[in-house]
């Protein structure tokens, strides 16, 4: 029946699409219960998105912020993982089409997360860099280093400046954290690595369409983060929208333009929806699926959505919860409990989001933290930021390796993973094999 | 004059091609002397080849066995690194053609190392895997994991077995260490990760053309290593040569054949020679360049070769020193001293190789060590192997991270970096960008 070699079971089958924060939290809740859990993901690992910017900037290795999905749920007899891409949902037959065959579900949970949204701007999508996945983050790492190597070679000062300049579009946590990390590299590493280049000329521009950076945080966090960034030498531009990019010239909706060979687009995400599950009845702005307080997609009893892809409209979140790890984790946990209750014929518990606060780091000893009861910034905030990120990282080995790297980077003002493992500009790969010419 | 933006200097210019063990050792010796040192490499990092097999088998992250070349030689004012591929040597004009322009040299050191030699067998070159570079090692890691994911999906027992089988061609240290690591994964990880697959059926075959494995080591090391491998469940085949491979069927020069979707070719290397420096006068078997006891390539005063690419014929090494880290390092150091002597008009010191011994590890608590004075095997040898490898690894952070990983892997019988970051079989990459469909 199923080409995926997943046995029929007397337990109902729950298929979870996506092994992000939400999918993993849900799978863990269900793994010991009387359900068959099938988790599908097109990667064999869970990745810790909040630290991707440190992979891009050479502070961490990708392997230490990724964790094999099979390992998370090792030893649970009713758990099945399959490396698969879902092609279509047939809601009437309760069946998925995937690149490895068909499979039936009793309950379906969409936890597909989100991807970069270029808002239809093809030039930016083609020439700009996204930073939502590990391969994308490694591509950005390669590009940054390749640009500096290339800057060394040109006598054209304009071109050299462009190769050393950065434009980061989007003043949310990703943009702020990346800008801060680049500023620290500019100060601590570039002058030593490139003594024959005037790296002081490198400009790091953070461009934010709205009136303040970190708009989802408190006003004091925004102000303080901006001050931190400026102290690090980042140019913060507010009320400006990037409109076009040709690989070098960054145009905006104002007179301001930038010459930069590296543009990172962190100005928007959209949920990843699935064919067959994209009716206008429940598809909201940014492709999110409208769900009720039990995570049920509008019109379905047995189809759920959690995390970035779910839009649960509630106060004070009329357009759904923020697209962050916390709502996804809490939703996964709540849905796990509810699915068991549903199967046992019990009443469901509506989801109540517990806002644990939000935070962003700008650089060493510089972070901003908004907790529900109080807000703080600076050194202590930075330690809290580190502790929280280590805590939520999956895997003991990952925590130790990340911690060692942070201690080392802190003491040495260094980031040693500045390696061009797979060149981005100049692909040595031919048909997946390495063309070795030296 | 030079498009590489390397200033003219009153010091003579030494160009080193290749940042491997030899090139780095030489550059370090010269960095404080009255010479201008230009190091060219097509990667921006030095990589520690002896541990590549641990990257392939998920035991280590690539970033911890690689080190930025710029960082090794930070702070030396006469040192220049350029990310470049050398296209041709013009020995009469003392000039190099590279992909980033031309450059003159006063002294040229060829330290290009070696690459996999498939001995002209195109099928094996195309369908088999090499493991000489970090990207190649990551490709192998991806392929192994992808094959197991695929094995889950098929009902054809033949095909499933082939997806789980390994053939490693070549019984040198690389082949032995990889076979041992795979055997440990088979025993400790596969049954937990793939409970619905009969992973006991996975076969690890080590195929050696000669009459014993580790032929460069002592007879007792060979015997003991073979016993270790067999205890781990590796099938060791001796006196058999692999002749062809179609991606599944491995043919040999005997009646024996194997069905395996993973074939790793570790049966030969050849030196990487350069156009314009490939005269029959000095080109030896395997593309090595014949050099005298001062590392001078036959017929040249100012062109040197060190490491794998150099063939210095001496007793007891009529075909040159072994292609390993130690000769390369010692040659780099000797040449560094000699170049200074040469410039100062002093007599040169002939190279004398100090054999510090050789070693190979098979698995936990299992290694073989041949020292010049005594030989030992087992637990103590394994600790010596680890200590020596940590010692020669470049970079404090790398040493700590590798050590942490080893301790963790030892205690937990685990290797957590089993991540398919860039799929090998199914490339998601389109034009260097990530096609995200889920």
């Amino acid at each position: 029946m199923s080409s995926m070699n997943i046995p029929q079971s007397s337990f109902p089958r729950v298929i979870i699409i996506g092994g992000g924060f939400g999918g993993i939290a849900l799978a863990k809740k269900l793994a010991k219960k009387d359900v068959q859990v099938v988790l599908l993901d097109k990667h064999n690992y869970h990745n810790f998105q909040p630290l991707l910017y440190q992979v891009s900037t050479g502070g961490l290795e990708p392997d230490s912020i990724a964790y094999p999905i099979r390992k998370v749920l090792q030893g649970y007899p009713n758990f099945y993982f399959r490396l698969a891409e879902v092609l279509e949902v047939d809601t009437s037959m309760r069946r998925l089409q995937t690149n490895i065959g068909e499979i039936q579900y009793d309950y379906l949970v969409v936890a597909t997360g989100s991807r970069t949204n270029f808002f239809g701007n093809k030039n930016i999508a083609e020439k700009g860099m996204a930073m939502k996945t590990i391969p994308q983050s490694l591509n950005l790492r390669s590009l940054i280093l390749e640009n500096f190597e290339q800057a060394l070679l040109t006598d054209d000062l304009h071109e050299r400046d462009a190769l050393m300049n950065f434009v980061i579009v989007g003043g949310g946590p990703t943009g702020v954290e990346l800008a801060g990390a680049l500023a620290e590299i500019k100060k601590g590493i570039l002058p030593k690595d490139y003594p024959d280049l005037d790296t002081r000329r490198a400009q790091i521009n953070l461009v934010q369409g709205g009136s303040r950076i970190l708009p989802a945080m408190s006003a004091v966090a925004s102000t303080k983060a901006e001050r931190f960034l400026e102290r690090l030498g980042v140019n913060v531009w507010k009320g400006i929208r990037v409109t076009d990019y040709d690989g070098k010239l960054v145009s905006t909706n104002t007179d301001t333009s930038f010459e930069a060979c590296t543009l990172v687009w962190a100005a928007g995400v959209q949920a990843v929806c699935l064919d067959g599950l994209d009716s206008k009845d429940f598809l909201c702005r940014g492709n999110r699926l409208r769900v009720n307080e039990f995570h049920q997609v509008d019109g379905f009893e047995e189809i759920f959505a959690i995390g970035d892809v779910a839009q649960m409209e509630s106060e004070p979140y009329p357009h759904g919860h923020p697209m962050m790890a916390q709502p996804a984790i809490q939703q996964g946990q709540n849905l796990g409990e509810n699915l068991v209750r549903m199967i046992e014929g019990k009443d469901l518990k509506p989801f109540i989001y517990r806002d644990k606060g939000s935070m962003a780091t700008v650089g060493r000893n510089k972070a901003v933290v908004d907790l529900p009861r109080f807000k703080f910034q600076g050194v202590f905030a930075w330690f809290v930021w580190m502790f929280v990120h280590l805590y939520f990282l999956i895997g003991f080995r990952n925590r130790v390796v990340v911690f060692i790297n942070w201690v080392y980077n802190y003491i040495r003002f260094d980031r040693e993973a500045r390696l061009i493992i797979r060149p981005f500009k100049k692909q040595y790969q031919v048909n997946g094999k390495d063309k070795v010419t030296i």
Side-chain angles (χ1 to χ4, degrees), chain A:
Chain A
M1 166 101 195
S2 147
S3 70
M4 292 193 189
N5 276 342
I6 293 171
Q8 293 295 340
S9 151
S10 55
F11 298 144
R13 178 183 289 164
V14 180
I15 299 189
I16 305 167
I17 309 176
F21 286 111
I24 292 285
L26 170 60
K28 276 182 169 175
K29 276 276 174 195
L30 291 179
K32 288 180 189 164
K33 307 293 181 185
D34 290 348
V35 287
Q36 185 187 61
V37 180
V38 178
L39 178 61
L40 307 178
D41 198 298
K42 65 170 192 154
H43 293 120
N44 77 335
Y45 54 86
H46 165 82
N47 97 55
F48 193 74
Q49 292 190 13
L51 291 177
L52 284 176
Y53 81 97
Q54 297 210 5
V55 171
S56 290
T57 52
L60 292 175
E61 44 276 87
D63 305 41
S64 64
I65 65 160
Y67 198 80
I69 292 175
R70 292 193 173 280
K71 166 97 185 164
V72 185
L73 293 141
Q74 247 180 19
Y76 295 119
N78 298 326
F79 174 78
Y80 295 85
F81 172 75
R82 289 294 180 271
L83 189 69
E85 249 175 280
V86 175
L87 306 174
E88 200 175 345
V89 185
D90 183 340
T91 55
S92 60
M93 299 294 287
R94 301 192 175 183
R95 194 161 58 193
L96 298 183
Q97 300 283 354
T98 80
N99 66 332
I100 59 167
E102 291 184 0
I103 186 164
Q104 297 281 138
Y105 61 81
D106 297 304
Y107 301 95
L108 177 66
V109 182
V110 184
T112 46
S114 59
R115 64 177 150 209
T116 303
N117 188 356
F118 293 98
F119 301 104
N121 192 317
K122 282 188 188 167
N123 288 338
I124 298 178
E126 195 187 319
K127 310 275 185 185
M129 305 296 287
M131 204 179 66
K132 279 286 285 180
T133 69
I134 288 183
Q136 285 173 345
S137 305
L138 288 170
N139 285 345
L140 177 57
R141 181 201 279 187
S142 291
L143 177 67
I144 293 169
L145 294 164
E146 288 172 276
N147 278 344
F148 273 89
E149 294 296 335
Q150 204 180 322
L152 269 176
L153 304 178
T154 179
D155 290 322
D156 179 336
L157 203 62
H158 257 294
E159 194 188 336
R160 188 185 288 180
D161 283 352
L163 285 161
M164 298 198 296
N165 286 347
F166 296 89
V167 171
I168 298 152
V169 191
T174 304
V176 167
E177 293 179 343
L178 179 63
L182 288 171
E184 291 195 335
I185 287 174
K186 176 186 166 179
K187 199 175 151 191
I189 294 174
L190 294 183
K192 288 187 208 151
D193 263 11
Y194 302 92
D196 34 353
L197 211 55
D198 186 358
T199 53
R200 289 169 305 178
R201 297 178 64 95
Q203 285 176 14
I204 298 148
N205 299 292
L206 181 66
V207 182
Q208 164 70 334
S211 61
R212 61 183 178 104
I213 59 168
L214 300 177
M217 294 186 70
S218 63
V220 57
S222 297
T223 312
K224 208 68 186 251
E226 191 176 333
R227 204 177 307 157
F228 286 151
L229 283 171
E230 278 167 356
R231 211 181 294 162
L232 282 169
V234 173
N235 306 322
V236 180
W237 304 82
K238 291 174 295 188
I240 290 185
R241 284 200 319 278
V242 169
T243 52
D244 206 359
Y245 184 48
D246 67 359
K248 196 169 173 188
L249 184 73
V250 184
S251 312
T252 71
N253 63 334
T254 70
D255 287 345
T256 307
S257 65
F258 307 92
E259 290 206 342
C261 293
T262 313
L263 178 142
V264 183
W265 186 261
V269 294
Q270 60 184 349
V272 179
C273 66
L274 298 163
D275 282 351
L277 200 66
D278 49 5
S279 154
K280 282 182 186 164
D281 298 346
F282 48 76
L283 203 64
C284 309
R285 204 169 52 126
N287 284 351
R288 294 180 99 176
L289 307 178
R290 187 180 296 112
V291 299
N292 65 14
E293 69 269 42
F294 309 116
H295 316 283
Q296 286 164 314
V297 175
D298 271 14
F300 296 97
E301 283 256 307
E302 75 287 4
I303 303 182
F304 307 84
I306 55 174
D308 286 5
V309 77
Q311 175 154 329
M312 188 187 292
E313 294 160 5
S314 60
E315 277 315 312
Y317 306 104
H319 302 293
H321 298 102
M323 292 164 91
M324 304 193 312
Q326 268 305 316
I329 293 169
Q330 293 179 29
Q331 287 172 13
Q333 290 170 339
N334 182 258
L335 178 56
E337 284 165 24
N338 272 342
L339 275 172
V340 174
R341 289 172 162 270
M342 190 178 255
I343 291 160
E344 291 172 350
K346 292 185 187 160
D347 282 350
L348 303 188
K349 275 189 185 168
F351 176 69
I352 295 162
Y353 176 51
R354 275 173 238 291
D355 182 6
K356 295 188 175 172
S358 56
M359 50 183 71
T361 189
V362 181
R364 71 167 41 222
N365 301 334
K366 294 182 188 71
V368 292
V369 174
D370 284 359
L371 294 187
R373 280 158 198 274
F374 61 109
K375 304 170 200 327
F376 51 102
Q377 303 86 28
V379 180
F380 181 63
W382 187 70
F383 276 101
V384 170
W385 180 92
M386 286 202 295
F387 174 80
V388 167
H389 281 73
L390 283 176
Y391 179 82
F392 281 101
L393 202 59
I394 294 181
F396 178 74
R397 187 198 70 102
N398 284 355
R399 287 185 189 136
V400 174
V401 171
V402 168
F403 180 71
I404 295 280
N405 275 304
W406 284 351
V407 170
Y408 181 86
N409 297 349
Y410 188 79
I411 295 172
R412 300 290 298 267
F413 290 80
D414 208 345
R415 287 151 192 264
E416 281 188 1
R418 44 188 193 278
L419 315 163
I420 309 172
I421 302 277
R422 313 247 192 191
F424 176 73
K425 282 176 142 175
K426 184 187 166 192
Q427 296 281 343
Y428 286 97
Q429 282 219 333
V430 177
N431 295 329
K433 297 259 177 168
D434 304 293
K435 197 178 77 175
V436 181
T437 48
I438 284 198

